[in-house]
């Protein structure tokens, strides 16, 4: 299948046709699930997925449909459809598409399945007015308003939750905000980094042995498993039944009752990880009692300016943020998302006018980049993030070179999404 980008209608984020936005309904008109319908309620889920996975909002039995085949999001009065890098592809109106804006009446074809998207009245807006934050997450864009509404509803639930999003979108902040807005707010809140330990050490830290592990210590409260895709197979095998039964088994064999809500964060496509045998399907199912995907900064419109002012105040920047600097920020496409923007503002405050636009992504010609970062006299967390970003970009460039410029093969070999490779490579050559 040739990759053809088709946009069926051009609408900017938040553009309207007048009046409240329409309510959309999906109806499966052909295929094994013919007759199935789904109301697209973007207040309940900012991103609605269609695919074979049981975690999809519209699960399908069609064997030619991928586990996670396509995603739907509100865009003003339209619906944005994205093919999720599938092998059999997606058609709209007979044309292969990667990304399209739908306005009702179109037929979506995936595998042997046909899905009609129809307008069915209008959407009643939520009673609460616009807000600029949820916990420490900040945003004013339409998609962030929907995300805040979903996070607020999920906060009062006891369902385990999967928080997805690209690097730097604020997954850890979302987990913290959910805990703080929920009934477990006065109970323990622990964060376990699945990438900080391996093998037996990971098992002992999570499940305990002679001493309690993170699952026990967080009992009656919330446990965040950061980068859940990095859990070992042994840890996944223990975690799935623990979530199902509310009982875990320590490494010394002792059984312990736990009442813990798990919020797992990931920047990986766990459906693909399941398909390729690196993640257990039963664990994904247990973690996906609910899921939310945090949007990348490049589709959040005016949030760049809002966040820039927020970080300028947070880091005690002198006076008002310079307009010329705001212009540079607004022109950047932010592959590192909010975290990259935060670092850019911190560097500008530390270096003043010495900061050049090219330094948003990396500093060129530095014989010792680590020494260069240390010379900025930034807070440790921000300095460390700069070093991590530099490492990631050099790693990506070497991987692409090692695979003869083939981004897809380099991404697959490195365990990094193809989109991330494309973003970094395009920015490097600007």
């Amino acid at each position: 299948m040739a990759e053809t980008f088709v946009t069926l209608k051009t609408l900017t984020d938040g553009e309207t046709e007048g009046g409240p936005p329409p309510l959309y309904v999906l109806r499966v008109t052909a295929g094994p699930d013919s007759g199935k319908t789904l109301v697209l309620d973007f207040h309940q889920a900012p991103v609605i997925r269609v695919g074979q996975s049981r975690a999809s909002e519209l699960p399908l039995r069609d064997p030619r449909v991928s586990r996670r085949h396509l995603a739907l999001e509100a865009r003003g009065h339209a619906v944005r459809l994205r093919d999720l890098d599938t092998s059999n592809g997606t058609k709209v109106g007979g044309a292969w598409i990667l990304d399209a804006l739908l306005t009702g009446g179109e037929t979506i074809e995936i595998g042997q399945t046909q899905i009609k998207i129809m307008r069915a009245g209008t959407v009643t807006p939520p009673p609460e007015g616009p807000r600029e934050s949820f916990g420490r997450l900040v945003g004013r864009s339409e998609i962030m308003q929907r995300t805040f509404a979903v996070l607020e509803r999920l906060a009062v639930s006891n369902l385990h939750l999967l928080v997805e999003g690209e690097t730097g979108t604020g997954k850890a902040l979302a987990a913290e905000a959910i805990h703080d807005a929920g009934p477990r707010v006065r109970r323990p809140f622990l964060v376990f980094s699945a990438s900080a330990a391996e093998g037996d050490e990971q098992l002992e830290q999570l499940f305990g042995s002679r001493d309690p592990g993170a699952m026990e210590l967080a009992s009656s409260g919330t446990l965040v498993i950061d980068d859940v895709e990095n859990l070992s197979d042994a840890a996944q095998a223990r975690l799935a039944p623990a979530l199902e039964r509310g009982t875990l088994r320590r490494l010394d064999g002792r059984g312990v009752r736990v009442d813990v809500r798990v919020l797992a964060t990931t920047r990986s496509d766990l459906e693909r990880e399941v398909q390729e045998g690196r993640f257990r399907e039963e664990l994904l199912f247990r973690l996906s009692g609910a899921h939310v995907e945090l949007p990348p900064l490049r589709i959040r419109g005016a949030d760049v300016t809002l966040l820039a002012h927020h970080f300028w105040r947070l880091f005690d920047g002198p006076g008002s943020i310079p307009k010329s600097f705001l212009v540079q920020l607004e022109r950047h496409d932010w592959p590192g998302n909010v975290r990259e923007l935060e670092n850019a503002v911190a560097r500008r405050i530390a270096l003043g006018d010495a900061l050049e636009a090219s330094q948003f992504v990396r500093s060129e010609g530095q014989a010792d980049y680590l020494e260069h970062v240390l010379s900025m006299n930034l807070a440790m967390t921000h300095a460390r993030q700069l070093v991590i970003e530099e490492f990631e970009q050099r790693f990506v460039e070497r991987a692409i070179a090692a695979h003869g410029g083939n981004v897809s093969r380099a991404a697959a070999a490195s365990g990094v999404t193809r989109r991330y490779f494309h973003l970094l490579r395009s920015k490097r050559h600007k």
Side-chain angles (χ1 to χ4, degrees), residues 79-389:
V79 174
R80 181 189 182 193
L81 181 153
R82 289 183 292 119
D83 178 271
L84 298 178
D85 199 19
T86 58
S87 55
N88 290 329
T90 300
K91 283 184 177 181
V92 174
W96 294 109
I97 67 97
L98 294 178
D99 201 327
L101 287 173
L102 312 181
T103 55
E106 298 90 353
T107 296
I108 305 164
E109 299 175 59
I110 53 175
Q112 301 170 340
T113 298
Q114 294 184 4
I115 304 170
K116 188 85 168 179
I117 181 167
M118 303 171 294
R119 293 192 180 200
T122 58
V123 175
T124 302
E128 60 270 13
R131 59 196 300 179
E132 290 193 352
S133 65
F134 180 70
R136 290 195 289 153
L137 289 172
V138 175
R140 189 187 291 139
S141 60
E142 177 189 343
I143 193 168
M144 287 306 291
Q145 294 301 302
R146 291 195 300 271
T147 301
F148 291 160
V150 171
L151 292 175
E152 194 165 42
R153 292 187 182 98
L154 291 174
V156 300
S157 168
N158 277 316
L159 290 172
H160 302 307
L161 173 66
L162 186 61
V163 183
E164 302 172 293
E166 296 178 10
T167 299
T169 48
K171 298 182 289 295
L173 295 183
E176 175 189 282
I178 288 169
H179 173 80
D180 289 346
R184 296 177 183 243
V185 61
R186 300 188 184 278
R187 300 295 184 177
F189 177 78
L190 271 70
V191 178
F192 173 79
S193 175
S195 58
E198 296 180 353
D200 291 343
E201 184 182 10
Q202 190 181 77
L203 287 170
E204 186 167 351
Q205 289 182 9
L206 187 56
F207 301 102
S209 183
R210 288 178 299 178
D211 297 318
M215 288 279 289
E216 277 184 76
L217 294 173
S219 192
S220 80
T222 303
L223 174 66
V224 178
I225 302 181
D226 198 26
D227 295 330
V228 70
E229 69 275 13
N230 291 322
L231 284 179
S232 66
D233 186 67
Q236 293 178 41
R238 281 179 177 265
L239 183 57
L243 296 181
E244 180 182 8
R245 302 167 191 158
T247 303
L248 66 84
R249 187 162 297 279
R250 287 186 180 182
L251 299 190
D252 61 8
R254 189 188 324 173
V256 181
R257 293 287 300 174
V258 291
D259 170 25
V260 60
R261 186 185 190 188
V262 172
L263 309 180
T265 73
T266 183
R267 61 178 178 176
S268 297
D269 182 346
L270 292 186
E271 295 286 357
R272 178 163 294 176
E273 297 289 301
V274 168
Q275 202 164 12
E276 296 178 358
R278 292 190 294 267
F279 202 84
R280 289 180 174 253
E281 183 176 16
E282 65 269 24
L283 177 56
L284 177 58
F285 182 67
R286 297 298 168 197
L287 291 173
S288 299
H291 67 255
V292 62
E293 183 175 354
L294 299 185
L297 185 55
R298 61 185 172 275
I299 67 169
R300 289 176 52 182
D303 283 350
V304 170
T305 298
L306 177 69
L307 285 161
H309 283 288
H310 169 73
F311 291 130
W312 192 266
R313 292 190 300 269
L314 185 66
F315 300 139
D316 296 321
S320 299
I321 190 167
K323 290 184 179 180
S324 59
F325 181 53
L326 275 177
V327 170
Q328 291 177 342
L329 297 180
E330 289 166 355
R331 289 175 176 171
H332 192 57
D333 57 7
W334 302 112
N337 294 296
V338 179
R339 185 183 298 151
E340 184 187 357
L341 173 58
E342 180 182 6
N343 290 333
V345 173
R347 289 199 299 271
R348 174 61 188 242
I349 293 171
L351 299 175
D353 293 338
L355 179 68
E356 299 294 335
S358 63
Q359 290 177 291
F360 288 152
V361 177
R362 68 185 297 173
S363 294
E364 301 290 351
Q366 295 292 333
D368 187 347
Y369 187 74
L370 180 59
E371 187 61 36
H372 171 67
V373 171
L374 292 173
S375 70
M376 294 181 183
N377 295 318
L378 300 174
M380 179 179 177
T381 53
H382 297 114
R384 178 171 55 200
Q385 188 57 42
L386 289 180
V387 174
I388 291 172
E389 289 173 356

Side-chain angles (χ1 to χ4, degrees), residues 13-52:
D13 188 14
E15 184 179 347
T16 67
E17 303 165 357
L23 179 68
Y24 287 96
V25 176
L26 297 181
R27 175 173 294 165
V28 181
T29 57
D33 297 282
S34 184
K36 183 178 283 191
T37 62
L38 177 70
V39 176
L40 301 185
D41 186 351
F42 294 110
H43 293 303
Q44 292 289 341
V47 180
I48 291 175
R49 297 179 182 83
V50 177
Q52 281 199 59

